[in-house]
Amino acid sequence: WLAVPSNAIFAAIVISALFLVAALITLASGLFAGPLAVSELSLVIGRIGRLFLAGLGIKKRSGWWGVVYDSMTKVPLDPARVILTSPEGVTIASAITDFEGRFHFRGIAPGNYMISVQKPGYHFPSEKLTGRDRDEVYESLYFGESFTVAPGGIVTLRNIPMDPEYPHTEVLMGKPSRLAEFHAGIDSSVAAFAGLATNIGLLAAALVLIATHAITAAIIFGMYCVLFLVRQNSLWAHPFGYVRDANTGEPVSYAVIRVSGVGTGEAVAERVTDLSGKYHVPLPSGRYMIRVDRRMPDGTYVAVVNGVEVPTSNRYIASDLAV
């Protein structure tokens, strides 16, 4: 430090503060699809590690998987802890859901197993959908029963609904309105600020390192590189689209987006908009048709967009839709 000019030290301090702000925003809002409870803060380290490896091109091979989701809104739950146990209650493996509520276990030996799910604010198994094999979005529903993994590790896909402890008032009333608009505005502003802070900080850190060749500058630059890799593979890196009411301009919450191939009609993806009407669908480049089913206050769904062709942008469908 003594060998570094005072103006460079000041620049390093400013850049470090900028890094801290960008990192905190990324951790708080960009690594998970939903808000974190205090008991889930330990999941942050694991998510950062996986995203960093993904940024380096190192990804774990997927095994069989399923989706954990809100039984009322159909929105995937992230994070949620999924635990695989023997019928005697011995823990065999555990997993954390990803941005789309997905989980998977690899290398499971043949035998009998059970699954339980932990998520603050939710109950497992679902009582709302008990006795049903499918709902409006998901099939092969799971409610805690024992199942068998056959030789070769072949298992049936398991989708797991969870009941919220407190009803979603905006769903029951059918009025996301001001709260949804507020969330949409905050999401957009925070994402833009965090991205700008990261890019400016990375450039400034590189310039300070070139000018000073100081060890401290190299450490700060390295930290920015890690943050950049994390953000490139985090939720912020996904392009989003919004579904809004054509008459009022208000967000359309919890609508089901169904995507099929042009010409084939084959279903390729399904997603659910969040409270602010936001959605994204990762898909390879191609031609796709989209259908939007709007959730009514009584829990039924009505098709409000059907058979509209939409383009993919950077391997995502992220078109703004007025319904």
Side-chain angles (χ1 to χ4, degrees), residues 130-169:
T130 296
R132 296 178 59 177
D133 182 60
R134 62 181 303 152
D135 61 15
E136 294 79 5
V137 179
Y138 300 96
E139 58 184 17
S140 300
L141 303 186
Y142 179 77
F143 299 94
E145 64 274 12
S146 176
F147 61 93
T148 301
V149 176
I154 300 176
V155 297
T156 303
L157 173 70
R158 304 283 171 166
N159 292 315
I160 306 177
M162 297 186 74
D163 295 340
E165 292 181 356
Y166 304 100
H168 299 284
T169 305

Side-chain angles (χ1 to χ4, degrees), residues 206-283:
L207 294 176
V208 171
L209 177 59
I210 294 173
T212 65
H213 301 286
I215 294 178
T216 304
I219 293 174
I220 295 175
F221 178 72
M223 292 167 61
Y224 266 104
C225 289
V226 171
L227 179 61
F228 182 80
L229 287 174
V230 168
R231 287 184 55 80
Q232 287 299 106
N233 290 275
S234 71
L235 198 59
W236 291 128
H238 301 169
F240 292 102
Y242 287 88
V243 179
R244 300 183 184 279
D245 187 288
N247 296 319
T248 66
E250 292 184 348
V252 177
S253 304
Y254 312 127
V256 180
I257 310 290
R258 306 182 194 272
V259 183
S260 58
V262 171
T264 66
E266 181 182 358
V268 295
E270 290 183 336
R271 292 294 185 274
V272 180
T273 62
D274 66 7
L275 177 65
S276 58
K278 183 170 62 179
Y279 78 97
H280 73 279
V281 185
L283 285 172

Side-chain angles (χ1 to χ4, degrees), residues 17-233:
L18 197 63
F19 170 84
L20 182 61
V21 172
L24 288 176
I25 292 175
T26 298
L27 293 179
S29 306
L31 295 182
F32 295 92
L36 282 171
V38 174
S39 60
E40 296 173 314
L41 292 178
S42 60
L43 307 181
V44 172
I45 296 177
R47 177 62 54 87
I48 292 175
R50 287 191 293 273
L51 291 176
F52 179 63
L53 292 176
L56 298 177
I58 304 173
K59 297 183 179 181
K60 291 183 177 181
R61 186 182 305 171
S62 296
W64 62 275
W65 55 275
V67 175
V68 179
Y69 68 97
D70 186 307
S71 64
M72 191 171 182
T73 66
K74 316 306 177 187
V75 172
L77 297 178
D78 170 46
R81 186 184 298 275
V82 186
I83 303 172
L84 182 72
T85 65
S86 67
E88 295 75 30
V90 178
T91 299
I92 306 300
S94 65
I96 304 300
T97 57
D98 67 6
F99 299 134
E100 302 296 341
R102 297 172 298 191
F103 68 93
H104 70 269
F105 297 109
R106 300 177 298 123
I108 303 302
N112 295 322
Y113 298 96
M114 299 178 68
I115 289 176
S116 61
V117 187
Q118 299 174 350
K119 172 69 177 175
Y122 284 85
H123 289 302
F124 172 83
S126 169
E127 296 179 358
K128 177 180 174 61
L129 299 179
T130 296
R132 296 178 59 177
D133 182 60
R134 62 181 303 152
D135 61 15
E136 294 79 5
V137 179
Y138 300 96
E139 58 184 17
S140 300
L141 303 186
Y142 179 77
F143 299 94
E145 64 274 12
S146 176
F147 61 93
T148 301
V149 176
I154 300 176
V155 297
T156 303
L157 173 70
R158 304 283 171 166
N159 292 315
I160 306 177
M162 297 186 74
D163 295 340
E165 292 181 356
Y166 304 100
H168 299 284
T169 305
E170 74 280 353
V171 177
L172 296 175
M173 297 179 62
K175 297 179 179 179
S177 61
R178 293 182 180 178
L179 179 60
E181 292 177 347
F182 175 77
H183 277 279
I186 290 296
D187 282 350
S188 177
S189 300
V190 171
F193 177 78
L196 182 63
T198 301
N199 294 335
I200 292 177
L202 180 61
L203 177 61
L207 294 176
V208 171
L209 177 59
I210 294 173
T212 65
H213 301 286
I215 294 178
T216 304
I219 293 174
I220 295 175
F221 178 72
M223 292 167 61
Y224 266 104
C225 289
V226 171
L227 179 61
F228 182 80
L229 287 174
V230 168
R231 287 184 55 80
Q232 287 299 106
N233 290 275

